[in-house]
Amino acid sequence: MPKILFVMTGADHWTLADGTKHPTGFWAEEAVAPYEAFTGAGYEVVVATPGGVVPTVDRSSLAPEFNGGQDGADKVAATLDSITELQHPLRLEDVDLADYAAVFYPGGHGPMEDLAVDPTSGRLLVDALNSGRPLAVVCHGPAALLAATDADGANAFAGYRVAAFTNDEETQSGFADKAKWLLESRLGEAGVNVQVGEPWVPNVVVDRNLITGQNPSSSAPLAAQVLKALAG
């Protein structure tokens, strides 16, 4: 069975500008929707995190208001509980890219804390980009792209068109004035061409083998685009 690698944050908090540690992790929908799409299409999902720590779900992402009501929230929580791969992640340091048909990075604020500065993840992203296999990243997941630099220190994704969680969305979430930095702005400073869509509306951007999504609602359409790319 072909495998898809989920590279997930190992962080359970996000350090804000004033030093406060805001509880976070990965965003539930951004793991659940792609997991269901990929496994439903016959792929095995393998999870990897920095150090092999069990990833933490952002408890906010299980709230009814983010899942279309209580029934949706219950369904997402039940699906998360059934994803045994989340309880047995590989160490990111031990991943062999050759074992996987595609690579996927879910979001949540966690990647802003760890993957944004993780050199192992950065090297994996560069290798995945250069391999030509589908590389998919959603919401705050593109924070990981900031650690992907080439030999001369330039960002490997400079010049690529990407979707990522926007400054407007961060403002509407109530964190823009609390964050040390904003994802859209920092990606732009690195030379990445952020394609800003309407807040909270699905927005998936494909540039060569890089497939990116702007927000949680982009997770399912991003997964569909990955499966399309895998089908050739």
Side-chain angles (χ1 to χ4, degrees):
M1 184 183 295
K3 300 176 182 179
I4 294 179
L5 179 69
F6 277 37
V7 179
M8 301 182 67
T9 179
D12 62 5
H13 68 274
W14 177 32
T15 306
L16 303 177
D18 66 356
T20 301
K21 292 185 176 181
H22 173 70
T24 188
F26 69 89
W27 197 259
E29 180 181 1
E30 296 168 24
V32 167
Y35 179 88
E36 291 184 318
F38 297 152
T39 57
Y43 288 88
E44 178 184 348
V45 167
V46 176
V47 174
T49 63
V53 303
V54 174
T56 298
V57 65
D58 188 319
R59 304 305 300 180
S60 298
S61 68
L62 299 176
E65 57 264 36
F66 295 120
N67 294 285
Q70 189 62 54
D71 287 349
D74 291 344
K75 181 176 182 295
V76 166
T79 303
L80 269 184
D81 287 343
S82 73
I83 301 176
T84 57
E85 294 91 342
L86 291 171
Q87 302 306 315
H88 307 284
L90 298 179
R91 284 170 21 99
L92 187 56
E93 298 82 353
D94 297 334
V95 164
D96 183 349
L97 180 62
D99 293 338
Y100 303 97
V103 177
F104 169 59
Y105 279 67
H109 279 117
M112 301 275 281
E113 184 74 20
D114 61 352
L115 296 180
V117 293
D118 189 297
T120 302
S121 172
R123 287 190 295 272
L124 176 67
L125 284 164
V126 173
D127 290 345
L129 188 67
N130 292 337
S131 75
R133 71 197 67 201
L135 170 60
V137 194
V138 71
C139 201
H140 287 91
L145 306 186
L146 297 170
T149 53
D150 57 25
D152 62 4
N155 191 280
F157 293 88
Y160 276 78
R161 294 179 299 107
V162 307
F165 201 71
T166 67
N167 292 354
D168 281 348
E169 287 168 324
E170 204 71 85
T171 298
Q172 292 178 27
S173 296
F175 288 107
D177 60 348
K178 302 174 184 178
K180 291 181 179 179
W181 48 273
L182 298 179
L183 180 56
E184 177 192 332
S185 297
R186 186 63 65 85
L187 287 170
E189 291 165 6
V192 181
N193 186 358
V194 181
Q195 306 288 293
V196 177
E198 290 295 317
W200 314 113
V201 176
N203 177 31
V204 175
V205 174
V206 180
D207 189 344
R208 288 155 277 186
N209 61 315
L210 178 64
I211 304 165
T212 51
Q214 179 172 314
N215 43 37
S217 66
S218 303
S219 302
L222 174 139
Q225 194 65 49
V226 172
L227 292 172
K228 181 180 176 181
L230 287 167

